[in-house]
Amino acid sequence: MAVAGGAGEREGAAALSQTRADKAASAAIRRYQGRKVLNRVSGIDACGGCGKRVLDPDTGVIYARSSRGYVVTIGLVRCGRIWFCPECSSAIRRGRTEELKTGALRWLAAGGTLAVVVLTARHNRTTELERLAAALWGEPMRDDSGAPVVDRSGKPRRTPGAYQTMLTAPAFYGRPESSRTRKDGSVYVRPAEDGIRHRIGYAGMVRASEVTRSQANGYHPHMNLLVFIGGTLDGTPAKGTVTGHFQPGDDAVEEWEDWLRNLWASTLRKMDPAFEPSTTCEIRGCKCGGKGHGVMLKVITSADDAALIEYLTKVQDGKRDDSVTADLDAASGAAMETTRADTKTGRGRKSMTPFQMLYRLWDIEVAGLDPKRAEGYGTAAQCRLWWAEYETAMAGRRAIEWTRGLRGHVGLVGDDSDEANLDYVYDGAAQEPLTGGVVMTPAAHATVVNADAELDVEATIRTECYDSAGDVVGGLGGRADHVRVLTADELAATQENLAARVLARREERERQARIAQFDADQAETERNRRRLATLLAQLAATRRTVTDISKH
């Protein structure tokens, strides 16, 4: 038996750390393999070039070792597609998880309450993912010809899905005061009515959507919501201010859960009876507790506000008070469950995530594994078809979304935009100081990419055998002299120059976009002026005609 604090304990900790490191390394390799397959099978141009195209040809591509020993690659275009790219998804979800964790802890520390809600719909192996996704999250509105319908500002209009209906239903949101004038001239005033959100103290929610696919029932899209309740608001959740916190009563939470379950089922039934989830369950011991499988809800409360506040103010020193462990685990667990779909895998060979389709394609088509030994299920041709269906259905949708105003309620800034996602991808590439590495020309990097040899180059950087990176390129038929070793200072200078050139090009693109928009606005103004002149001329002609008729 190991003595506490002795050699046995240290060896156990080292073994555990090594196990975690091995798992992380294996996951990183799998993400690399998945992205390589994505480059080949994706119908999205950005995904086809992710990790291949060079950001600035004058700089080239940097492979560098961080002070913590891992390898970063700088100077490549990233797609930033959270749904489709294993590499980009990992970086984005990691950043979004930290953001959500901070917001959750701050809400708990202030006295608020969290609720984890899982929403799903009935599905089977014949269900079309695109139709089911539209029922859940809505879709662009189209006219009879199939063209997108736009509003007055030119933005596409959307048909709401069950999720949007849930947020805007009067029973939940309440009704503001309104008035109307009767025929006799009197004014009728309808007083404001509170909704369920007032009784539970709803301040907003974070929605993270994910998709899995099972051999028996096909695609299964569903939502994980982290709902911030227990807040007293002055105004609406989107534009108001949180003035206090309270513990929602059990009756109010039960009312919300029952209402949500019935609304969710009825809304999906109206869209397609085949999508209606169950609201009862007779399976003994089922985790739904007999309430059906469309909605599951779990409430999380804080047990030690003071300790949480102390944790939040001292987190930068790397210490954690044991008294907040339970609360931190609750908030972190909720955040991880909400956002980290990239770390999940299907159950056995009968279910898989979309990324596992890419991994299976690598195993079968690149590694040459027997399909029975490869991850997931299905033939290579089936996986390609399933992936194409997935891309079509999920392209343009947000995987993680905060409701308006919620970030302000927990003291955060930012948004859910694609630009913010790309910041997570690019900023995460080199957060640690770089100790050494190499820079290679676009031609040398193309040689490496075409041979699927990026991991071979990374191995030379990780072991600080920088000169060997040129040998790898030369051995693949490229030019070894197109690889140059850089010191830490040279890496910093190269990075700075790269960032300056990329920023300059971005600003120029934005300037050109503003010019194009100005020209378009001017052209639209001129068209409107001409239309008005034509209408005025037609009106004047009509008046003359009426005058002539009246004279005769």
Side-chain angles (χ1 to χ4, degrees):
M1 180 180 296
V3 179
E9 185 178 87
R10 289 194 297 272
E11 290 173 2
L16 179 60
S17 177
Q18 183 63 35
T19 300
R20 289 175 177 171
D22 291 344
K23 288 182 177 179
S26 297
I29 291 173
R30 214 52 169 149
R31 290 194 298 270
Y32 160 79
Q33 293 170 346
R35 187 175 66 180
K36 294 292 288 188
V37 173
L38 178 71
N39 293 154
R40 297 162 186 170
V41 304
S42 179
I44 301 172
D45 181 67
C47 293
C50 184
K52 292 174 57 179
R53 296 171 184 158
V54 178
L55 200 59
D56 178 43
D58 293 335
T59 300
V61 180
I62 299 170
Y63 284 83
R65 187 179 188 277
S66 77
S67 58
R68 293 173 57 189
Y70 60 81
V71 179
V72 297
T73 307
I74 303 168
L76 293 174
V77 176
R78 310 291 187 179
C79 68
R81 297 301 198 272
I82 189 172
W83 285 115
F84 308 127
C85 178
E87 294 272 17
C88 291
S89 180
S90 177
I92 295 166
R93 289 185 183 274
R94 186 164 53 247
R96 293 296 187 189
T97 295
E98 290 305 310
E99 177 188 46
L100 181 52
K101 187 190 299 183
T102 299
L105 286 169
R106 287 179 179 175
W107 186 254
L108 290 175
T113 299
L114 297 172
V116 177
V117 180
V118 181
L119 301 174
T120 187
R122 190 185 298 274
H123 59 99
N124 58 48
R125 63 189 308 170
T126 64
T127 302
E128 295 179 11
L129 178 58
E130 188 171 13
R131 288 185 60 244
L132 185 50
L136 293 177
W137 300 298
E139 61 182 337
M141 191 178 295
R142 300 186 182 278
D143 60 22
D144 294 338
S145 67
V149 177
V150 298
D151 59 22
R152 293 181 178 179
S153 64
K155 295 182 179 179
R157 298 183 62 186
R158 295 183 63 83
T159 301
Y163 171 74
Q164 289 80 9
T165 301
M166 174 189 70
L167 289 177
T168 56
F172 176 76
Y173 201 80
R175 297 179 186 273
E177 181 182 286
S178 62
S179 62
R180 63 183 179 86
T181 303
R182 297 190 177 99
K183 292 181 179 180
D184 61 4
S186 62
V187 178
Y188 166 74
V189 178
R190 186 183 69 186
E193 298 176 18
D194 283 351
I196 294 173
R197 73 173 177 92
H198 296 89
R199 293 186 281 281
I200 63 173
Y202 170 83
M205 68 173 72
V206 180
R207 171 182 63 84
S209 307
E210 59 179 304
V211 177
T212 57
R213 194 184 197 288
S214 73
Q215 201 165 12
N217 295 311
Y219 273 114
H220 175 211
H222 53 286
M223 281 175 269
N224 298 315
L225 311 177
L226 190 62
V227 190
F228 291 62
I229 59 177
T232 304
L233 276 84
D234 179 10
T236 66
K239 298 182 180 180
T241 302
V242 175
T243 59
H245 298 83
F246 67 96
Q247 179 67 46
D250 292 341
D251 290 345
V253 173
E254 186 175 352
E255 176 195 12
W256 172 40
E257 183 178 0
D258 290 343
W259 168 84
L260 178 56
R261 182 170 289 105
N262 291 326
L263 174 100
W264 188 251
S266 63
T267 302
L268 286 171
R269 181 176 64 249
K270 291 176 184 177
M271 294 177 175
D272 189 327
F275 298 158
E276 180 184 3
S278 60
T279 54
T280 60
C281 178
E282 297 179 356
I283 300 175
R284 181 177 297 179
C286 183
K287 62 182 179 181
C288 76
K291 296 179 179 180
H293 301 157
V295 176
M296 287 188 287
L297 187 150
K298 178 182 178 182
V299 173
I300 299 172
T301 58
S302 169
D304 193 342
D305 295 346
L308 276 169
I309 295 171
E310 182 177 346
Y311 167 80
L312 290 170
T313 56
K314 295 185 177 181
V315 69
Q316 67 273 13
D317 63 12
K319 298 179 181 178
R320 188 173 83 184
D321 194 314
D322 289 340
S323 62
V324 305
T325 299
D327 297 281
L328 180 60
D329 288 345
S332 299
M336 286 291 289
E337 177 65 22
T338 303
T339 61
R340 291 310 301 272
D342 64 303
T343 63
K344 298 181 181 180
T345 58
R347 293 187 288 270
R349 294 184 181 274
K350 296 183 179 181
S351 179
M352 60 183 174
T353 67
F355 288 163
Q356 286 179 288
M357 295 180 199
L358 300 179
Y359 303 155
R360 182 171 177 82
L361 284 171
W362 175 276
D363 289 344
I364 296 174
E365 297 184 339
V366 180
L369 281 181
D370 184 328
K372 294 180 180 179
R373 296 179 55 199
E375 188 168 351
Y377 65 89
T379 66
Q382 285 175 320
C383 287
R384 286 173 175 267
L385 286 173
W386 291 334
W387 181 266
E389 180 185 1
Y390 171 68
E391 273 195 357
T392 300
M394 306 312 295
R397 299 188 182 277
R398 287 214 174 111
I400 301 172
E401 186 172 30
W402 292 56
T403 53
R404 286 191 304 146
L406 178 56
R407 282 188 174 88
H409 298 328
V410 292
L412 294 174
V413 296
D415 56 44
D416 305 320
S417 65
D418 293 338
E419 290 77 11
N421 283 344
L422 278 172
D423 287 340
Y424 282 121
V425 173
Y426 284 113
D427 292 347
Q431 294 181 344
E432 298 289 332
L434 303 180
T435 60
V438 302
V439 60
M440 59 179 64
T441 65
H445 184 256
T447 299
V448 173
V449 169
N450 293 337
D452 295 334
E454 293 95 327
L455 296 181
D456 295 333
V457 175
E458 288 187 14
T460 68
I461 305 303
R462 187 178 298 107
T463 56
E464 300 182 275
C465 300
Y466 304 127
D467 289 331
S468 299
D471 297 335
V472 172
V473 173
L476 296 172
R479 292 183 54 176
D481 61 343
H482 278 210
V483 180
R484 181 165 60 91
V485 177
L486 299 179
T487 65
D489 290 341
E490 290 171 332
L491 280 169
T494 302
Q495 274 188 277
E496 186 176 348
N497 293 334
L498 171 63
R501 282 195 289 270
V502 171
L503 179 60
R505 285 202 299 271
R506 179 178 178 178
E507 290 176 344
E508 177 60 21
R509 286 196 303 271
E510 292 173 350
R511 188 181 74 85
Q512 293 296 336
R514 288 194 297 271
I515 292 173
Q517 185 61 50
F518 176 80
D519 291 342
D521 292 343
Q522 290 292 100
E524 181 64 21
T525 300
E526 178 61 21
R527 284 193 295 271
N528 290 336
R529 187 190 66 77
R530 291 176 181 174
R531 291 191 194 106
L532 179 58
T534 300
L535 289 173
L536 290 175
Q538 292 172 347
L539 179 59
T542 302
R543 285 176 176 172
R544 287 195 298 270
T545 301
V546 171
T547 300
D548 292 342
I549 293 174
S550 64
K551 288 180 178 179
H552 292 84

